[in-house]
Amino acid sequence: MKNIFKFLLVVLVSVPLGLQAQTTCSDQLKMRKPMAPYRYNTASKSAMCQTGRKYEFVLPITKGMDYRIQFFASTVFNNNIDVKIIDMSTGEVVVNVPGKLDNDEPKSPQQTALQEYMDLKKNRFVHPFFDFTPVSSTSLKIMLDVKEVEIPKEQVQEYTYDDYDYEQPRQQAQQPTQEEGFAVPLEKLKGCISVYIIDRETEEDSF
């Protein structure tokens, strides 16, 4: 009876933990509240993603609505995510930006996908956003390229030529050299990436 009680206790404890792990990314969307007249668009997505992979999904947009898209990512990615958005009706690339600038600070909210810029007029940082007002109903293909992350040399495990696994090396890993005696693999990291979408009715001028 005592063993059965312990088993039930383990089940009751482990289920909430599993559910918590599954809802971590979706919680990132729940924390964000659009300011009127914008409304939350249920096409918004948040998912667990991995470095070294590419992701995409299609967003239908309709005439008569304004759309604003923002991207958020776990700090583990260090903003190293390129974003491309294509108008599927015309094939035009309407957004093609890096997650951050390497050697400069962005001066506008559309230069990068994730790196904030300082708005000197409002004296505050602004998170990048991309606005769309379609002249006809169409779809946008949103493409995310999550870059690899290289392990710092001081954190790399040392290898010898006897125990280094040449049959199944890490993807794009550098093989050890005679001088160094170790490899510098590209670490696979996981974290949440969110595509936050809000919309509002287009304000049309009338006479």
Side-chain angles (χ1 to χ4, degrees):
M1 186 71 179
K2 187 175 182 180
N3 290 336
I4 294 177
F5 175 76
K6 286 184 177 179
F7 174 76
L8 290 174
L9 181 61
V10 170
V11 171
L12 290 173
V13 171
S14 63
V15 168
L17 290 176
L19 290 176
Q20 183 178 6
Q22 294 176 3
T23 59
T24 299
C25 291
S26 61
D27 287 345
Q28 287 192 357
L29 292 177
K30 294 177 182 178
M31 292 188 303
R32 308 192 182 283
K33 303 297 180 183
M35 295 183 61
Y38 280 100
R39 302 167 299 187
Y40 175 76
N41 188 303
T42 56
S44 301
K45 292 184 179 295
S46 185
M48 185 67 65
C49 299
Q50 180 177 293
T51 54
R53 295 190 61 182
K54 297 181 179 181
Y55 302 87
E56 64 180 50
F57 77 95
V58 175
L59 170 67
I61 58 177
T62 59
K63 181 181 179 180
M65 299 293 294
D66 296 334
Y67 297 85
R68 174 166 292 183
I69 303 176
Q70 291 180 293
F71 301 91
F72 300 90
S74 299
T75 55
V76 68
F77 297 117
N78 195 27
N79 291 341
N80 287 316
I81 303 172
D82 291 348
V83 173
K84 181 184 291 186
I85 302 179
I86 298 175
D87 184 339
M88 297 187 67
S89 296
T90 63
E92 179 187 2
V93 177
V94 292
V95 172
N96 189 9
V97 295
K100 66 177 181 179
L101 301 180
D102 291 332
N103 302 314
D104 197 8
E105 294 291 331
K107 303 297 190 296
S108 75
Q110 284 79 34
Q111 280 185 276
T112 66
L114 293 162
Q115 184 181 8
E116 297 182 343
Y117 92 105
M118 171 58 74
D119 187 332
L120 297 178
K121 294 182 178 180
K122 299 180 179 179
N123 194 31
R124 64 181 177 87
F125 282 98
V126 176
H127 194 86
F129 60 87
F130 303 91
D131 289 341
F132 299 91
T133 303
V135 295
S136 60
S137 297
T138 183
S139 293
L140 300 176
K141 179 185 286 188
I142 299 174
M143 309 169 69
L144 307 176
D145 184 0
V146 187
K147 301 301 182 179
E148 296 275 9
V149 176
E150 186 171 297
I151 305 174
K153 288 187 177 181
E154 60 272 15
Q155 297 179 14
V156 177
Q157 178 184 356
E158 293 188 358
Y159 294 95
T160 67
Y161 282 93
D162 294 331
D163 62 15
Y164 187 77
D165 186 1
Y166 286 97
E167 296 298 323
Q168 292 181 334
R170 292 196 183 198
Q171 185 177 0
Q172 299 183 13
Q174 299 176 7
Q175 294 183 355
T177 64
Q178 292 284 358
E179 295 77 19
E180 297 174 338
F182 57 78
V184 183
L186 296 173
E187 181 73 348
K188 296 293 185 182
L189 302 175
K190 291 184 178 181
C192 297
I193 298 179
S194 301
V195 183
Y196 180 61
I197 306 165
I198 54 179
D199 60 39
R200 67 179 181 182
E201 293 184 1
T202 301
E203 296 179 357
E204 298 181 353
D205 295 331
S206 59
F207 295 93

